[in-house]
Amino acid sequence: MNRDGLKAYPALLMQTATYWQAPWLLQAMAQQGRSHYNEGCLIEDAHIMRPVGDSLLLAVADGMSSAARGGEGAVSAGVVVGHALTGIAHPDAADLKNAVGAAHAALIATSPDAPHALATTLAAVLISDKAVHAISIGDSNIVSITEDGAGALKLAPFCVGNQPSQDGTVSLTDPQWERHAGSVTSHPDLLTGLILATDGAQPFFYKDMGLSGRSALDATVVQGLPAAISKLTARSLSAYFSLLMTRPEYMSLDDRTLLMAFKPSEKESPPKPKTKVMAHA
């Protein structure tokens, strides 16, 4: 897909969507950054959220501003990972890594003489009843949500890519991407949720995103989830995130994309669907 092809679609300004696949309440949020909005540029983030075999695939990609076609690279990376996992009944960590490798190869094949033109980060997770597999290349984050002994929600880094320097971030187009990739396998029973976010969305769960860099993780947003779900019901969770996107403390000049898988309490969980597949546009 080329840049002109992307322009054939309506320009994305903001998108929020909430889905349910027991026991996970799934939230997707994407918004064009103020800088790109003012310049008339397309959003350069991309994401994918879909079932593959017995698992859920969640992935975010952040096309690099220094790349001429970073947005295209981000879209292509997510599409190829999804295609590569299609048809695998029980995808595992090796399958996820192979899918990311297929995305790397596709980007190089698209622009063999100038692969950096398609430079993008990529963070992806596979969630099944038996395991959670994660991989991250670049500065897009994967953060875990767990409960402490008192039942309060807390955040912790879950899967972080290896950054060789603070002067820039690793791209999926890097020939040494495997060397710099972070990977983790865990069990879903150990997690209350997961957040995947491009760097523009990190103000939602870091206290300080100023010149001093990231400071401690801040669980304020996720600690508000149970009350928001109880008040709005799970079907209106997007309203909670839409409100947060207007608050000054969470603003960002950069494009921002956040995906979340969260286990609500049994009381607040949506009713079981009467059909296995819910059609939506």
Side-chain angles (χ1 to χ4, degrees), residues 200-253:
Q202 290 173 14
F204 286 109
F205 52 91
Y206 276 102
K207 289 181 180 177
D208 179 15
M209 289 297 294
L211 295 176
S212 61
R214 296 194 298 261
S215 64
L217 283 161
D218 182 357
T220 301
V221 168
V222 298
Q223 287 171 352
L225 285 171
I229 294 170
S230 178
K231 181 178 181 180
L232 302 171
T233 74
R235 65 192 175 89
S236 298
L237 186 58
S238 284
Y240 175 67
F241 280 91
S242 295
L243 180 61
L244 292 175
M245 292 167 80
T246 68
R247 292 175 56 171
E249 63 266 40
Y250 302 129
M251 288 294 181
S252 173
L253 293 175

Side-chain angles (χ1 to χ4, degrees), residues 135-149:
I135 190 168
S136 180
I137 301 97
D139 60 5
S140 293
N141 272 235
I142 306 177
V143 176
S144 66
I145 306 172
T146 57
E147 295 185 19
D148 63 18

Side-chain angles (χ1 to χ4, degrees), residues 50-54 81-91 95:
R50 54 169 289 190
V52 286
D54 64 353
V81 168
H83 284 334
L85 291 168
T86 299
I88 301 176
H90 310 289
D95 295 317

Side-chain angles (χ1 to χ4, degrees), residues 15-17 27-31 201 204 241 245 256-259:
Q15 178 185 60
T16 61
Q27 179 67 36
M29 181 196 80
Q31 186 181 43
F204 286 109
F241 280 91
M245 292 167 80
R256 48 186 182 169
T257 299
L258 182 149
L259 303 183

